[in-house]
Amino acid sequence: MLTAERTASGAEMPDRIADDLVHTITEMGHHDVLPRGACIEALRMVQERYGWICDRHLKQVADILGMSLADIDGVATYFNLLFRKPVGKNVIMLCDSVSCWVMGVDGVREKLCRKLGVSMGQTTQDGEFTLLPIVCLGHCDHAPAMMIGKDLYGPVRPEDIDAIIDERRGAAS
Amino acid sequence: MSYTAKDPEKRPLLALVDQADPPDVATYERGGGFRGLRRVLSGLSPAEVIDEVTKSKLRGRGGAGFSTGMKWSFVPKESQKERKKYIVANGDEMEPGTFKDRLLVEGNPLQLVEGMIISAYAIQASHGVIFLRGEYHLGLERLKIAVEQAKAAGFLGENILGSGFDFELIVHPSGGRYICGEETALLTALEGRRANPRTKPPFPQVSGLWGAPTVVNNIETFSNIPHIMANGIDWYLGLSACGDGGTKLYGVSGRAKRPGVYELPLGTRMGILLEECAGGMQDGYRLRAFLPGGASTAFLGAEHADIVLDYPTPEKAGSRLGTGLAILLDDRASPIGMIRNLEHFFAQESCGWCTPCRDGLPWVEKLLIDIEEGRGGPDDILRLQDACRLIGPMGRTFCAHAPGAIAPLESGLRLFREDFERAVQGGGAVVPSAQERAA
């Protein structure tokens, strides 16, 4: 065991990616002109399963798709939806783009940080929530908007935050 | 007249859109779906399809507004058996203030799928990719279902409707970066690389995905194609209120009473969009300026509040139609704060390939923060103007990210000159008081 890394749900991060994922990624690679064409989707799948992409899993995907570690890490760190650091059970993405700014997202951010006791980019002590900024979510007619996991919220007012977070905390446990 | 009423004759794009329960193949066909594809595959040649689309005067709905038929005509003419070609839907909707493509993929994904099959036939592509924003989870799920359903019904795969035409379509969720909306960056991402844009020429129509001829069109553009092929050029031209064809998904965000997306004749006036569709400004707010079509379009002042939203008119006024979804700046928000927000976005989303963009935009953002927070001096306005001159013009950088980033800054420096002057004289940016607004 190299480190005591945890998945987003708090389990021990397995040394190797599960066999079914290895199989799917291998097949995707076969179908593309160059296997590397599958790397972004492959990394998304690994993340979907474990919450974030650890070094060992990154190396494994690189090996399957015939890429160097530096090469695939260059890709992984380019895209903001691929997480190379641990995240909590719920990833909150708060829109910081223009329509949400006009509609008062600053107050929502302040309230979220206070409620969770973290700054933007941090994970709560209990590992329940990671708070990240995101660019426009395409939910501008419901600004200010945010996304928790795969769920869209909006318009979100500072006074809604307590209920939303308490509900998600309850649902996650 | 209600602007949200379902009307397949006048509002074809949204007629079958149902965000709660998108149509399956049977419902889609009952509503007129796949009529266009059936007509195309029962005897039109690829050249005839391109010709009809060109004559329909459909222009790209992603922001650049290039003629769709003409774009297709640049693709080498070999048949799909002779040469591998690709058709790609650009669904990387990340332009701040733009929320129209999400409605189309969530509400009627089969319309997009049919549009892509017809377009693939026109350029003789055998493979298609729908590149979708990574955050559009519901859209991704529904698109995958739509593709499976279309395949099961014989509209995708080999020998479609007995025509001898083969077409395979997949959905690709993005890893997330604004620059992927730039077509060459999008193709680079599909090849599993960091999505830096490529220099043009060669254009993707000649050398695109994996070096093969490729057409990239916006989701809304593709969604128009089935209707053109089913109902004809004259009908399509008749939908429009200007010289180009069709309806357009327009929209409003900001302090309007009913922000949202509205399908209207291309060339509708801003006044109709803002006042009649969106219900005007919220009580206690007045329109000060707006970005007509996303974050990368230049500000237009309130004197343009009834401007014709076709392609040429906003350009004459110094801006662009862009995506057609307007962002409102009201009289209670700080224009400098809004520009600082926009430039933060562009600085963050620069891919870093070209120096003016990579180095210049963070510098612009820092200057704006200083001015906003009262640490700026008169020279800083000149520095921002210099930045516009040095970063903005097309050709200084590979792609249009930097010119897009400069558009709201350059126009904002002109339009809100007094705000900037006042901010650098001390105290920083201020939100106008009620008294000042009344004056």
Side-chain angles (χ1 to χ4, degrees):
Chain A
M1 196 61 224
L2 293 167
T3 54
E5 283 170 345
R6 302 269 156 196
T7 67
S9 57
E12 199 173 290
M13 187 67 91
D15 255 356
R16 313 261 316 152
I17 300 166
D19 288 344
D20 65 307
L21 270 181
V22 171
H23 179 76
T24 310
I25 294 168
T26 309
E27 286 302 303
M28 278 167 48
H30 287 331
H31 292 154
D32 234 318
V33 172
L34 287 180
R36 67 172 307 142
C39 75
I40 293 168
E41 261 192 279
L43 293 174
R44 276 184 66 112
M45 285 177 192
V46 171
Q47 179 169 299
E48 175 111 11
R49 183 78 55 95
Y50 303 110
W52 61 285
I53 302 154
C54 70
D55 290 350
R56 285 162 292 155
H57 292 177
L58 188 74
K59 173 79 169 73
Q60 208 183 338
V61 175
D63 288 344
I64 296 171
L65 299 176
M67 297 169 74
S68 76
L69 187 57
D71 193 358
I72 200 167
D73 204 19
V75 176
T77 52
Y78 186 93
F79 293 96
N80 64 290
L81 295 179
L82 299 176
F83 304 144
R84 287 283 285 117
K85 289 181 179 171
V87 293
K89 280 181 199 165
N90 295 282
V91 176
I92 304 176
M93 298 199 288
L94 181 67
C95 176
D96 67 359
S97 292
V98 63
S99 302
C100 288
W101 177 83
V102 168
M103 298 304 285
V105 75
D106 288 349
V108 178
R109 182 184 308 112
E110 215 170 279
K111 174 72 206 222
L112 257 177
C113 290
R114 211 166 47 230
K115 170 79 178 167
L116 297 171
V118 296
S119 312
M120 296 304 289
Q122 294 183 333
T123 301
T124 54
Q125 289 260 308
D126 61 4
E128 286 287 331
F129 296 96
T130 297
L131 181 57
L132 299 175
I134 189 77
V135 298
C136 181
L137 285 166
H139 203 41
C140 322
D141 46 346
H142 296 83
M146 70 175 182
M147 194 174 235
I148 305 182
K150 294 183 177 180
D151 305 318
L152 263 179
Y153 292 82
V156 183
R157 298 164 306 170
E159 56 267 36
D160 301 331
I161 292 298
D162 280 333
I164 293 172
I165 295 301
D166 292 344
E167 194 215 322
R168 295 297 298 211
R169 200 184 285 277
S173 56
Chain B
M1 178 189 168
S2 162
Y3 290 96
T4 49
K6 302 270 183 194
D7 182 351
E9 279 300 309
K10 297 224 169 77
R11 309 275 187 266
L13 292 180
L14 296 186
L16 295 182
V17 161
D18 184 343
Q19 250 179 321
D21 183 20
D24 59 10
V25 169
T27 315
Y28 182 63
E29 286 206 88
R30 267 201 306 280
F34 291 117
R35 273 200 303 131
L37 179 65
R38 287 181 194 282
R39 180 175 159 252
V40 165
L41 291 186
S42 65
L44 291 188
S45 71
E48 284 169 326
V49 178
I50 295 179
D51 187 51
E52 286 195 22
V53 170
T54 306
K55 285 182 177 150
S56 77
K57 297 195 176 176
L58 166 64
R59 290 173 66 166
R61 303 297 198 229
F66 194 77
S67 157
T68 304
M70 198 183 289
K71 193 183 219 182
W72 294 0
S73 73
F74 299 145
V75 177
K77 296 289 183 282
E78 290 106 315
S79 80
Q80 65 167 206
K81 307 285 189 283
E82 294 166 306
R83 187 163 183 186
K84 189 169 185 182
K85 300 180 223 174
Y86 291 95
I87 192 118
V88 177
N90 184 348
D92 191 51
E93 183 169 68
M94 287 178 86
E95 179 76 20
T98 303
F99 46 105
K100 64 185 178 67
D101 296 337
R102 190 161 68 80
L103 184 64
L104 292 172
V105 294
E106 288 180 2
N108 191 1
L110 282 167
Q111 178 173 254
L112 167 66
V113 170
E114 186 189 354
M116 288 192 75
I117 305 169
I118 296 171
S119 310
Y121 177 78
I123 65 154
Q124 286 291 294
S126 55
H127 289 74
V129 184
I130 301 171
F131 187 105
L132 190 71
R133 244 200 110 159
E135 292 89 341
Y136 284 4
H137 298 288
L138 184 62
L140 176 67
E141 193 181 305
R142 288 182 173 175
L143 270 174
K144 283 187 167 169
I145 293 170
V147 167
E148 283 311 310
Q149 286 179 345
K151 201 177 283 175
F155 295 110
L156 285 171
E158 289 182 4
N159 192 19
I160 298 167
L161 301 176
S163 64
F165 175 68
D166 307 334
F167 183 55
E168 220 180 279
L169 182 61
I170 59 163
V171 190
H172 171 96
S174 171
R177 274 306 281 273
Y178 172 67
I179 203 67
C180 292
E182 200 279 340
E183 63 175 358
T184 62
L186 186 155
L187 298 175
T188 309
L190 285 178
E191 293 174 4
R193 296 176 189 277
R194 293 168 70 88
N196 299 327
R198 309 171 183 179
T199 183
K200 294 191 267 194
F203 287 88
Q205 293 95 316
V206 180
S207 176
L209 186 55
W210 304 111
T214 304
V215 160
V216 184
N217 280 135
N218 171 259
I219 299 254
E220 185 187 347
T221 311
F222 280 122
S223 298
N224 276 274
I225 302 294
H227 305 291
I228 297 171
M229 299 319 295
N231 301 317
I233 300 162
D234 291 339
W235 169 83
Y236 190 74
L237 287 169
L239 291 175
S240 163
C242 65
D244 292 299
T247 58
K248 172 86 190 77
L249 297 186
Y250 289 105
V252 176
S253 65
R255 296 279 176 193
K257 284 199 180 110
R258 290 190 300 273
V261 176
Y262 301 90
E263 183 178 3
L264 300 165
L266 188 66
T268 295
R269 289 180 171 277
M270 179 70 186
I272 298 207
L273 174 64
L274 177 55
E275 299 301 327
E276 293 182 32
C277 298
M281 298 298 285
Q282 289 178 8
D283 296 335
Y285 292 89
R286 277 210 317 239
L287 179 70
R288 181 146 183 218
F290 61 102
L291 303 166
S296 63
T297 56
F299 278 101
L300 292 175
E303 71 275 17
H304 292 293
D306 200 27
I307 193 170
V308 174
L309 295 170
D310 58 6
Y311 289 96
T313 314
E315 264 185 50
K316 271 181 222 144
S319 188
R320 289 187 303 126
L321 175 63
T323 63
L325 280 89
I327 307 159
L328 310 176
L329 169 66
D330 57 78
D331 60 343
R332 291 166 70 170
S334 150
I336 298 173
M338 181 161 171
I339 296 169
R340 192 258 309 136
N341 177 283
L342 291 164
E343 297 309 325
H344 167 74
F345 168 82
F346 286 112
Q348 174 185 294
E349 293 301 318
S350 169
C351 83
W353 187 258
C354 309
T355 309
C357 184
R358 179 190 61 239
D359 287 6
L361 293 178
W363 189 51
V364 162
E365 188 193 351
K366 285 197 182 79
L367 286 168
L368 286 166
I369 292 172
D370 279 352
I371 292 173
E372 189 185 17
E373 295 180 355
R375 295 186 303 271
D379 285 356
D380 288 336
I381 298 179
L382 295 174
R383 288 193 184 100
L384 285 174
Q385 285 171 331
D386 276 350
C388 294
R389 192 169 50 78
L390 294 167
I391 302 169
M394 278 289 211
R396 300 265 153 106
T397 49
F398 263 31
C399 80
H401 184 89
I406 292 306
L409 175 65
E410 196 267 335
S411 55
L413 284 170
R414 274 187 286 111
L415 215 53
F416 314 119
R417 183 74 192 197
E418 279 178 29
D419 294 75
F420 278 97
E421 298 277 1
R422 200 156 76 162
V424 296
Q425 277 156 19
V430 282
V431 178
S433 70
Q435 263 175 334
E436 281 173 309
R437 283 184 288 116

